[in-house]
Amino acid sequence: MMPPRRTAPFNPRGFWHWRHAPVVVVLAAAVAATLPPYLVATWPAPLEAFWAWLNRGHGADGVTNGATLRDLGLILLGLMALPLLVWRSITAHRQAARQFRQLESGQRGNRYGRLQDAAGMLGADSRQERMAAMFVLDELRREDPAAYHVPVMRLLTACFEDTRGPERPPNGEPSAAGGGNIYTEDEKRLLFRTLGARDDRMKRAERAAGYHPELRGARIPAPLSCHFLDFSGFDFAKMDLSGIRFEGCDFSRAGLDRCGLRHCAFFRGAMKGVHMTGNAIDGATFHRVEGLSPRRLKHNAYDCEDGRPAAFIDATTGEEQPVDVTPAPEAAGGRTAAEPA
């Protein structure tokens, strides 16, 4: 039995080419034979009539039909070009968005690589590498605070972890720095300034992540001057800030409990809602600090071992007001407020 014969699929173009080609040729020849005599016989009259219609005026101002037809043609061309313009704009916008996404993706990968490298350099033995890592991390969080500010803050605050000790010794002094810290005093001062260099974008990132910066128990070696830094919301509990000068710094809603503030100087800053209790602040100066009053300082212990009580100058009047140096209520029983219960 012979296999069935395979037939090629129907091809309309081939059918038209081979079956109807003679018909097309005949029709084209007939049109070519009859059209020229017809045009020669009838051309002048329609052309003259059309020309006269174009030059004919209408309306009160006598606008010609030709001018009206021209205006309509321009409007029609504009309407035809408008969709093309819109489509071109949409296409250009899509291309720009695609290129921006590609660039942003490349930048994210680059930033993530820089974050990893800098995190590894923070524990390097070389001081130059550690300093370079601090600058790279600060640059990263400024470029993209939403993604990198909180991780960078966690890394920088972790640099003080091995300086944090147990409760303050009985003499009221903060715990001393641990012996195993690899960071020099200059590096610690740089880290502290970097932590306070926060703007509104960074604080929004902290609120979104539910993060509260803290340096509990750390020690910042003096002398150190801090100008216009933002420490709002920081937790400085049991931290030694003795001898540091703060000018224009914001400590609003910060926690300053049982800290070492001896001989500190606070000038023209803000301490709205600050929580202060059990601090050693003999010799400290509070000069025109907004949101602070002698009443707010009543829960601080004033040891005044060197005979220099804390100085308070009102932020509104500029007058020096007396500070109640009576020990806080929790200091009863032979303990100072700076000592652990």
Side-chain angles (χ1 to χ4, degrees), residues 196-220:
R198 301 151 68 211
D199 55 24
D200 293 337
R201 299 179 305 161
M202 298 177 185
K203 290 190 286 186
R204 284 197 297 268
E206 293 174 1
R207 290 193 296 268
Y211 171 73
H212 300 282
E214 59 95 7
L215 286 172
R216 298 176 62 89
R219 180 180 178 273
I220 307 299

Side-chain angles (χ1 to χ4, degrees), residues 104 106-122 129 132-144 148 152 155:
E104 186 68 18
Q107 289 180 346
R108 281 198 301 268
N110 183 31
R111 293 190 185 115
Y112 185 71
R114 289 160 59 194
L115 177 66
Q116 288 184 317
D117 294 341
M121 292 167 60
L122 277 177
E129 292 185 20
M134 296 175 197
F135 287 115
V136 170
L137 291 174
D138 186 49
E139 183 181 4
L140 277 174
R141 68 171 184 164
R142 293 180 185 278
E143 291 177 1
D144 192 354
Y148 293 98
V152 167
L155 284 172

